[in-house]
Amino acid sequence: MGQEVLPVNPWLALTPGDDPAERIRQVGRAHERFLAGERRPGQMRPVVADSWARSAAFVRADTTPPIELADDDLEAYRSAHPLARVMPIFRDLLGGLAEDGDHMMAVCDAHGRLLWVEGHPATLRGAASMNFVPGARWDEAHAGTNAPGTALAVDHALQIFATEHFSHPVQRWTCAAAPVHDPGTGQLLGAIDVTGGDHLANPHSLALVRATALAAEAYLRGVVEVPQKPRVAALGRDEAVLAWNGRTIRLGRRHSELLVLLSVHPEGRTGDQLGFDLYGDDVNPVTVRAELSRLRRILGPELLDSRPYRLRTHVEVDFGTVGRLLEQGRTADALAAYPGELLPGSDAPGIARLRRRMDDRLRAAVLAEGDRRLVQTWLNRPWGGDDLEMWEAYAALAPADPVAARRVAALNREYGCNVPAT
């Protein structure tokens, strides 16, 4: 018996030597088995199988993505979007493909909303039948597995080949997409995508979109204005990133915790107070002073003062932005600005309190809105998939969705809750 050959690159759709037509049939049969209830069909790339599982919680296989932005609203939004500055790069590197009649170039924001879709008019007309148009929402929660949406979900460049798409109307296309990040903060800005026929399932298309994304990030690194105030990104990451004076500094775990704690106490903290926030009752003052001394060397005396320890200038923090949006009643914007928990790997008591407070505020605001799409967005995030109360809210808002009822029952069993007899 011959040994099975595994793909050299899990983000590529085909292994060298694969017959594309046969692969389409294999994956198509796996897709049918998945829709019939087989949880993880064989012969599937893990990234695709995982995406199908996420997609099935929110959309059907005949779904058409909604159009969320149009006309003046779309034009105003995309003209102000950071990726508007790199459209000349996208067009220069991928425009030739988009004009050849067989491909399209698409750019989406971090929420999967298509901002630009460019290509030959005949190709664009074909794509319009499945709402692959500017303003449409192509994240996995609204469109199922697809290259730009799944690239955003896993934060990695990848290909999605033909029947690997979750939605039947999209399965005649093949796509390659790569995420694009803010070079200063690492925040996800969106994705660049090339969509066309089966011939796109080759290493060159994936390398091309990845190189295009890197070129865009390099350009943004050169043109982004130096922030007037220090900015800290600490949501959804174990190590905070400080952008200041044209530098991007990735801090270690303890220094990340100290900077976050100091940012929420502008009046300053004593060493003992910071020690309690970091270690609770098991505090060693010498260790705290040593960590603060090292942090001061990293930040410089112009930013970190002592006696008490405090930041000498206001620091913009990403979790502060989420808090302000919630105070303004802008729950959808707050959720969009929330990539994950505050320093999720930290066990410092002071950070745990801040993290729990922020998570509870945002979660309560989403539930209070009573908006099915907002609840759906929460559930589609990595931290939301096992949130029983949120699934119950979604089931109440979407009573005709059998997936929600099954998920509520499964989580009740998993958590040992009392499940009403049926």
Side-chain angles (χ1 to χ4, degrees), residues 139-158:
D139 62 340
E140 288 183 337
H142 296 81
T145 305
N146 69 93
T150 303
L152 293 175
V154 301
D155 198 11
H156 201 286
L158 51 71

Side-chain angles (χ1 to χ4, degrees), residues 304-333:
L304 180 58
D305 208 346
S306 58
R307 297 181 184 177
Y309 294 101
R310 65 182 181 87
L311 297 173
R312 301 189 67 174
T313 186
H314 176 70
V315 174
E316 294 285 347
V317 289
D318 54 357
F319 58 90
T321 299
V322 174
R324 285 194 297 273
L325 291 170
L326 288 174
E327 290 170 1
Q328 297 166 11
R330 297 166 59 185
T331 305
D333 291 334

